[in-house]
Amino acid sequence: MITIKRRSTSRGTPFYSSGFPACSKPAARKCAPCLATPVLNDNLRAATEALCNLLAKEDKVVASKAKIGLFFQNPEATKLFEEVNAYGEELRNKHLAGMPPTEEEISKFDALRENVIKNDAARGFLEARQTIDELLNTINHYLGMSIDLGRAPTP
C-alpha cells in the first residue's frame, strides 16, 4: 500500500512527505555532467552507461515513467499533490518552530492525503516512485556491498 506519511528529519523531528521528486531537471541534464567527471575512469564510465541503458529499458522503469507522465498530465492530480505538499510543509515548519500540530491540522492533512491516494493518477505516481526508489536502493545496496567486499556480492 502506498501512503504519504510523516517522516523524521536527521534531527528526529517529524515532517510530512508525499514522496514528490525533489528535482525537476530532466534526467539527461542531471547525468551528463556526472559521467564527465574524472571520478569515473573509462571502465567505470562504460559500466555505468551500460547499467543506465539497462535501467532505461527495464519494463518496471518504462511502466513507472508512463505512470509519472500520466500524473503530470493530470491537473487535478498534480493540484492534489501540491496541496498536500504545501500543507505538509506548513505542519513541518510549525513543528520545527516548537508548535506541535493540532488534531484538526492532523485530520486536515490526513484528508488531503486520502484525496491523493483516491486519485488514480496520483496513486499511480506514488506507486511508480516507490518502484523506482526500491530499484535504485537495491542497486545502491549492491554497489555498497561491492565496495565493502572488494568484489561483486553473490545472492
Side-chain angles (χ1 to χ4, degrees), residues 47-48 50-56 58 61 131-147 153:
T48 302
L51 177 59
C52 291
N53 284 323
L54 285 172
L55 284 172
E58 173 64 33
V61 172
T131 297
I132 290 172
D133 288 345
E134 288 172 356
L135 182 63
L136 294 175
N137 287 337
T138 300
I139 291 168
N140 282 328
H141 179 75
Y142 273 87
L143 292 173
M145 287 177 63
S146 297
I147 291 169

Side-chain angles (χ1 to χ4, degrees), residues 78-145:
T78 54
K79 183 175 186 273
L80 289 170
F81 238 85
E82 289 168 4
E83 288 173 357
V84 77
N85 279 325
Y87 196 66
E89 186 66 20
E90 282 181 42
L91 293 181
R92 178 182 179 273
N93 290 336
K94 182 177 178 179
H95 182 81
L96 291 174
M99 298 177 289
T102 65
E103 287 299 318
E104 294 84 21
E105 290 169 327
I106 291 171
S107 294
K108 180 179 176 182
F109 179 81
D110 289 342
L112 289 170
R113 178 178 55 193
E114 277 301 311
N115 288 339
V116 168
I117 292 168
K118 287 178 185 174
N119 182 285
D120 290 339
R123 189 176 55 257
F125 172 78
L126 287 170
E127 291 167 351
R129 289 300 311 167
Q130 182 176 3
T131 297
I132 290 172
D133 288 345
E134 288 172 356
L135 182 63
L136 294 175
N137 287 337
T138 300
I139 291 168
N140 282 328
H141 179 75
Y142 273 87
L143 292 173
M145 287 177 63

